[in-house]
Amino acid sequence: MTLIEPTADRQSTALAPDLRSLPDRAARAWTERMAVRPRAGSTYAVTTESDSTYLVDIAQHTCSCPDNRIRGERCKHLRRVAIEITARRVAPPGKERAVCDACGTVTFAAADARTPHLCSHCRLEAGDIVRDRETDDRLVVTAVTDTSAADWTIEATDETVADYDTNDGYPADDLVVLATYLSDAVSATEPREYAFPLSRLRRAEDAELVDSKNQ
């Protein structure tokens, strides 16, 4: 990983917009109290300060309020839904808020996704090349299970992944990841799978992927 050093002439920047420069509808979308609730498909229910509720379809860019339906304006309700999605306060269409099963942070998952739910930082998929933090060996992920290290028994030793001596110090509730050594994946007809706690593996950097192809 390459760190980027801050420069002395870097300008300070506000994350929130300058409301004085925004059109009235945009400013009200930022400042008024509204409750946004996902509904079916790409629709959201928006309840305003006056306790009125309107149905916004973010995909169709429509709202049931008079400002949009009659005047054809991009109303404050449409704008507010876009703000809440961008700020990750509500899930985008087809997604739902979930807790990452590995690190506990809030993430978004496909509405019909099966567990485990993993954030972008923790997510591994079959085919990913990873590094073993203990040995620095390169491996290829074959599966991410929904079973914890404390509940996965290694047949050869009759002990759990969590109890295996080289996994000491890794969380017992880590999800188990199955992987094969990269050299075996390339040369062996039926490469052997090994079980690892998720946090013992890290995704290989791009430079490491290039290096692996040259070996």
Side-chain angles (χ1 to χ4, degrees):
M1 179 175 67
T2 302
L3 299 179
I4 302 174
E5 295 294 334
T7 58
D9 59 351
R10 180 175 177 179
Q11 296 181 346
S12 58
T13 305
L15 294 180
D18 182 355
L19 299 180
R20 296 169 298 181
S21 65
L22 294 180
D24 180 61
R25 289 180 178 85
R28 283 187 286 162
W30 277 95
T31 58
E32 291 186 11
R33 292 182 178 274
M34 300 185 205
V36 178
R37 301 181 305 280
R39 300 286 297 274
S42 58
T43 61
Y44 297 79
V46 180
T47 302
T48 65
E49 290 181 337
S50 61
D51 207 29
S52 298
T53 299
Y54 301 103
L55 189 66
V56 166
D57 189 324
I58 197 71
Q60 298 298 322
H61 308 289
T62 60
C63 178
S64 60
C65 74
D67 199 29
N68 178 263
R69 184 169 49 84
I70 297 174
R71 301 184 188 93
E73 296 287 349
R74 185 167 180 256
C75 63
K76 61 184 180 183
H77 315 109
L78 269 165
R79 297 169 188 263
R80 181 56 171 263
V81 172
I83 291 170
E84 299 251 354
I85 290 175
T86 302
R88 300 177 67 84
R89 288 170 53 86
V90 299
K95 302 282 188 177
E96 59 185 2
R97 283 166 63 89
V99 174
C100 176
D101 292 323
C103 67
T105 60
V106 175
T107 185
F108 294 135
D112 57 352
R114 300 174 59 186
T115 56
H117 295 138
L118 298 173
C119 67
S120 57
H121 177 72
C122 298
R123 187 175 298 116
L124 294 176
E125 298 179 351
D128 284 347
I129 298 178
V130 294
R131 287 275 194 179
D132 182 347
R133 296 182 189 276
E134 296 297 314
T135 65
D136 206 37
D137 286 325
R138 283 190 295 261
L139 302 103
V140 180
V141 173
T142 57
V144 179
T145 77
D146 57 2
T147 303
S148 71
D151 294 326
W152 187 285
T153 301
I154 303 171
E155 292 185 5
T157 62
D158 198 30
E159 58 186 331
T160 68
V161 172
D163 290 335
Y164 198 70
D165 57 358
T166 60
N167 292 329
D168 183 39
Y170 293 99
D173 59 356
D174 255 8
L175 299 177
V176 169
V177 176
L178 301 180
T180 63
Y181 286 94
L182 183 59
S183 56
D184 291 344
V186 172
S187 60
T189 304
E190 295 183 3
R192 181 178 176 183
E193 285 184 327
Y194 297 86
F196 296 87
L198 176 62
S199 58
R200 177 169 167 170
L201 304 175
R202 65 172 179 82
R203 188 180 289 106
E205 302 291 342
D206 289 346
E208 294 173 307
L209 298 180
V210 172
D211 182 52
S212 70
K213 293 177 181 178
N214 294 332
Q215 295 187 16

